[in-house]
Amino acid sequence: MMSVRERRWRRANLVLCSVAMMGLAIASACSDRCVRNSDCRGGAECVAGLCFFPGDDSGADAGGADANGMDANGMDASGMDADASSSDAGNPDSGSSNSGDDASRSDDEPDAAVMDAALMDAANLDAGLPIDSSVDVDGGGTSDGGS
Amino acid sequence: MPKLWRAYEGWVFALALSAGFVHSPRASAQTRYMTADARTGSGVSLGTGQGGAVTARRTPLFVDAGIRTWTDETPDPIYGASLRLELDGRVGVGVVPHVELSRSIGPFEIRPRIGAPLFFAPYSLLGLELGATLAIPLVHRFALTAGVFAAAFFWGSDLPGNSALTMINATVGAELAL
């Protein structure tokens, strides 16, 4: 014969476990895109799920901003960080490793292969797949700006 | 001493007034009840992504510390307020004033609630929150709580432009009757 206290504990456990399971189910469906400005680091703003730095509206933004978004969300990977160099001169989040590549990239047209690789990486991240780091998105042979 | 008293006179008066508000059962022939609670929660935040698609992201873990108060003469509605801290990858501070009802179902209490979460530091965010808490009494004056809340935010510096932000969060916590 269960005491009243035992019964209450069992009910409490049932409710708490149900809430925990629901939380896990919800969390597993989440991506790493931003939904609030505070999801982005370094003063970046969230625009359509991606982190942009204010005033950074050059033509290479699609790939660069995407990389920022991933980087800002703590999903940095070699390919993503390398791609961030395409548009992020002065980006405090992209780190000093890109500085060598920024000057040369800023005058060039964005490389279609680089953009495709970055978008593919972003899609992989969303799908929970690993990033294909074999694609050299830096153009310099290394991920630190070819230095 | 008089100077010191004058400096703090206003605060002492305000505190006395607050204490009177909280503990004035004899003066008004009614008993005021209070509870203090703490809860933690998370869930899913939904925003607008590329092409208008819905983007889901885990809500930052938050901690609420709050109080609720009511009297025996007017048990409904119950007024309360919580201090809310977001602690997951950022630190956000806000308050959540709320109003709730309370209905007993067997040994449990169901409390539908509406609140207005307002974050003010380091970013601002204002919205409406609707949900319910289940209170499970364990021992005298002590209860466990579990809740589910839906929130929609419509103003603040943390809100991306041209984007809606909604959240569905679950909480667990504990409550102590004072």
Side-chain angles (χ1 to χ4, degrees), chain A residues 5 8-9 11-12 15-16 19 22-23 26-27 29-39 46-50 73, chain B residues 43-45 47-50 55-58 86 90 107-108 123 134 137-138 146 148 157-160 165 167 170 172:
Chain A
R5 183 171 292 185
R8 284 183 177 174
W9 267 114
R11 285 172 182 163
V15 170
L16 293 177
V19 170
M22 191 177 70
I26 287 172
C30 294
S31 75
D32 290 295
R33 299 287 174 118
C34 63
V35 295
R36 297 162 59 178
N37 290 331
S38 59
D39 292 334
C46 180
V47 179
L50 307 173
N73 291 323
Chain B
V44 62
S45 297
T48 309
Q50 277 180 316
T55 298
R57 185 185 169 94
R58 189 171 60 79
E86 282 190 328
R90 79 205 73 191
F108 304 136
Y123 47 81
L134 177 69
L138 285 183
V148 178
S157 65
D158 200 29
L159 203 60
L165 176 62
M167 295 180 187
V172 290

Side-chain angles (χ1 to χ4, degrees), chain A residues 42 53-54 56 68 84-85 87-96 98-99 102-103:
Chain A
F53 283 86
D56 188 3
N68 286 340
S85 64
S87 62
D88 281 338
N91 171 2
D93 206 31
S94 59
S96 60
N98 296 318
S99 58
D102 282 349

